[in-house]
């Protein structure tokens, strides 16, 4: 996956120390199907995701990432979930703590295709076709299905 320039600049200062970042997951629906892609780096099937750039609205990140990675224009319609992802340690030793904002998005236009090399396959899949999708991503899809439910989150006591 391509690392944003601002993350590379931060890494020059902090090395591999834990870095808190905000990420988004775009759960895109078209009719009764969801947009999924196979990641180029690890071969896992999941929804489009990416890192929020400095000063960028998270919903705009979801829209941008869908166009960049899958070649589709979408509209973010609802925040479905807010969650802290357990710390990730990459092969190079970089540690990241992602706050993941999951957005329900509606397809506007475009035929999905691997647009920037981050995905090797991308397309529309029925909810019964999610056997190769990790359960954490299936949960994100489930939370985004409802059009009017409030966002789900943990904590707050």
């Amino acid at each position: 996956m391509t690392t944003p320039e601002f993350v590379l600049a931060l890494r020059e200062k902090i090395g591999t120390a834990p870095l808190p970042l905000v990420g988004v997951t775009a759960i895109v629906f078209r009719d009764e199907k969801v947009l999924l892609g196979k990641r180029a780096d690890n071969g896992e099937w999941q929804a489009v995701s990416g890192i929020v750039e400095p000063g960028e609205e998270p919903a705009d990140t979801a829209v941008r990432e869908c166009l960049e990675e899958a070649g589709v224009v979408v509209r973010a319609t609802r925040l479905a979930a807010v969650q802290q992802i357990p710390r990730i340690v990459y092969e190079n030793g970089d540690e990241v703590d992602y706050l993941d904002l999951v957005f329900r998005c509606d397809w506007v236009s475009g035929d999905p295709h691997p647009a920037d090399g981050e995905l090797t396959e991308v397309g529309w899949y029925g909810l019964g076709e999610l056997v190769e999708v990790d359960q954490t991503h299936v949960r994100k899809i489930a939370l985004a299905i409802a059009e009017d439910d409030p966002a789900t989150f943990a904590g707050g006591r």
Side-chain angles (χ1 to χ4, degrees), residues 6 48 51 53 78 90 117 119 121 123 132 137:
F6 83 94
V48 172
I51 296 171
E53 297 280 344
R78 184 174 71 83
Y90 291 97
L119 303 173
E121 299 175 49
E132 292 186 49
H137 296 287

Side-chain angles (χ1 to χ4, degrees), residues 3 20 23 26-28 42 45 50 60 72 79 92 119 123-124 136 139 144 154:
T3 304
I27 308 296
V28 182
N42 61 18
W45 284 91
D60 292 339
V72 296
L79 180 64
N92 66 356
L119 303 173
W124 300 107
T136 59
R139 180 176 182 274

